[in-house]
Every structure is written in C-alpha cells, then in structure tokens.
Amino acid sequence: MTECTAQTDPWPAPTAPGAVDAVVHVPGSKSVTNRALVLAALAAEPGWVRRPLRSRDTLLMAEALRAMGVQIDETVNPGGGEAWRVIPAGLRGAARVDVGNAGTVMRFLPPVAALADGPVRFEGDARAAERPLHGVIDALRTLGARIDDEGRGALPLTVHGAGSLAGGAVDVDASSSSQFVSALLLSGPRFNKGLELRHTGRTLPSLPHIRMTVDMLRKAGARVDSPQDGGTANVWRVATGALLGRDLTVEPDLSNAAPFLAAALVTGGRVTVPDWPRRTTQPGDALREVFTRMGGTCELTDRGLTLTGSGRVLPLTADLSEVGELAPVIAAVAALADGESVLSGIAHLRLHETDRLAALAAELNSLGGDVTETGDGLRVRPRPLRGGVFHTYEDHRLATAAAVLGLVVPGVLVENVATTGKTLPDFPDLWTGMLAGPAGKRG
C-alpha cells in the first residue's frame, strides 16, 4: 500500500438527515469512453463519441492520442451534453504520454504506440510505476515491438513504433489485470497478422471488462472469436482488418453509481439512476443483484434503475472476482450490515490505484471497524463506527466508500476527496445534491 497523501482540508462527509430520496444523473462510463477513443483513433474513418465522461482518466487518454496525431474535436450535442469528433490520422511518434494513474491509458496505449511512426515515451504518477505492465510489454515484444523499460516491466518506458506490428500468436498471464487482454485486443485488428491471445494464468479477474472490449470491437467491424462465445478456452482471436468509424453514445458509468445506490440502501431511502441500460457489458450492472442480496429492492423501468432500501443492511458472502471495482463501496456497506460479510476473489485489488484491500482494512478499522484481509479478499465484522479521517491513498473508490460511511457515521473526514475527479468529476456536488432531497435533484 502506498503512503497516504498529506492531509490538507479533509472533506466533511455529510450525514444524511433521514432516508435519501433523489434522482442522480451519473456521468458517462470511463471504461466505455476510453475504449471508444482508442477504437476511433484506430479506425479507417472519422467517428463520434457522444456524452463521453470528462474526467482525469479520459482527458489523459484524449491528450495522449492527440500527442500521437489523432484529432479530437470537442463539440456539443444538439440534444445536450458533449460530443467528441475523432478524426484518425497516421500515428506519429516523437510523442510523450502522461498516463497519470490511469490503468486504461498505461495499458491500452503501448500497443497503439507500436503502430506509430517513431518513439513514444510513457510516464505517469509515482503509483503508476508500481502497477504491473509486464503482460503488455512482454506480449508486444513477442509480437514484434521494440520497448525500452530497463527490465522493470513497468513505467516509465519507451515504445519504438515502426508504423506497423507483425502480430500473431502470444501467451499472456493476465492474472493481475484483465486490461492486459483488452489492451492487445483493441489494437489487434491493426496488426499485420491479427492476434491470437492465450491467457496462461490460473485466474482472470474482471471478465465483464473483456466482454465489453469484445462487444465494442465487433460493433466497430472487427471479427473476434471469444471463449465466452463458445470458442477455445482462454483464447481470443482477432482478425486483421479495417475498423469502422462509429457514432457511439456512452452509457452512464454503472460502477460510479455504486455510492449513490448504496446511499439508498444504508439510509432506507430511494435513489433513481436514469438511463440505466437494460442490456450492458458494464460490470456495474451487478449492483442490482448485490444490493438486492444486501436488503434492497431494485426496479428497472424506462425511467431508469430505482433502488429502495428496507432500513436493514444484510451481510454478504460473495465472490467479487468479476466486479472488483465495486468492492470498496460494498465493503463500506458491509461495515454497516447486521452480520459478518466475506468478500472473496479480489486479490488483484492489491495492484490497483493503491493496495485496496490493505487500505480498506486500515481505514475501516481506524473508524472502529473489525476488518481483516484474507488471501483473496476481506472479512468484515460490523462494529459501532466513529468519526475520524479516512485516508484515500489517491484512490477515487476509497473516497466514495468513505462518503457512504459518512451518511450514517457523523464526523467522517475524507482526505483528498478531489481524487474522485479521476472518474467521477463533481462528486461532492452530486453527493450534496442527492442529500438535498427533491429540491436538490440533479437534472
């Protein structure tokens, strides 16, 4: 676990005056936005990304692609919201990319850089250099790329683009991040021989994100064989071919809906998230099942998803391997349940923005909780909680988890709540607007 950032002006997490009753418009999906930008940049014709998420991670992705010669024009939709026009061009080198601490940028773009005409330098935040990147680096070398990383298997590094990449067959151990698979699949149609990727590890976390990648590739015209569709186990094949320029409207970020739906659950209230898709590859859709098991009631209508709390929070025993990004908020809710919860299948969270398992255990326990790490997760035994500083370790999902606790635990102070800008801009305003009741509903 990385060290805490210096505590400056911690945000007092507001306590709910009663049962929450609100409509919350959640901004667009980071995962969809960044995949859409990569696919549009690699397409054979211009495309649109409508209602994209504007956050640190997506702006880093857009700026990185611009540095490599892609034109991204920001306009406004006739019906409201932003629209980004993406005009692909010959990818140029002699570029420098700041990945921040964005896993999608640091992993999705080295394969793109291998197709550029010249070197592309990748750098980022201090934590980014601690996050695993070896799966992408080793695979690209096998596929014909030249990369200088001084043997680190991590940032900083330079990809020496040659204008094309041979491609072909490659083995990848993606046990530490499904993004290794998605990164290579996204650029696979542009490789001379396409791509045949075999996952060799024992586990593969966050499968819904790989399904999202496959679905978006197919909608962009790529031919993809996937094990989830009856293909060979642990093998993905992408045929070489041109990608289409799409006109894509980004769905709301369902994972970022987690703290708002949790607010309904822990206060016995009701929250509606408009435009919740009836069919989606987003892992956040699992919130409907998870929060129902924890005592809520979900109703999905043409208006959106409404979650209603019962006034009681039930404990949860669950394998969260496919939805690990939901674990911080789920752990916070579990700390308020009326029995012990066991969250498993999330050992890979130790390699995210911070060591999320260690951080959650440390911070929940600092407020009086009883949380222990297991080999692949957390055991949460509810105890009466008290106020105090909840450190976020530069991790947006730690900050939103702390806000959930603050609804029912007076005196929770969230260190560096601004870190939520990574994927959820204006979170404090959205949060206080939700608590303002019908007069404060966000439109």
Side-chain angles (χ1 to χ4, degrees), residues 400-418:
T400 55
V404 171
L405 294 171
L407 292 172
V408 294
V409 181
V412 173
L413 302 172
V414 184
E415 174 232 19
N416 190 20
V417 73

Side-chain angles (χ1 to χ4, degrees), residues 155-200:
L155 294 174
L157 59 85
T158 299
V159 178
H160 295 274
S164 65
L165 193 67
V170 66
D171 290 347
V172 178
D173 183 350
S175 301
S176 57
S177 177
S178 69
Q179 289 177 352
F180 295 170
V181 175
S182 288
L184 296 159
L185 294 181
L186 286 168
S187 292
R190 289 285 301 271
F191 299 164
N192 295 341
K193 300 176 183 177
L195 177 70
E196 180 178 302
L197 186 154
R198 181 183 302 275
H199 166 60
T200 59

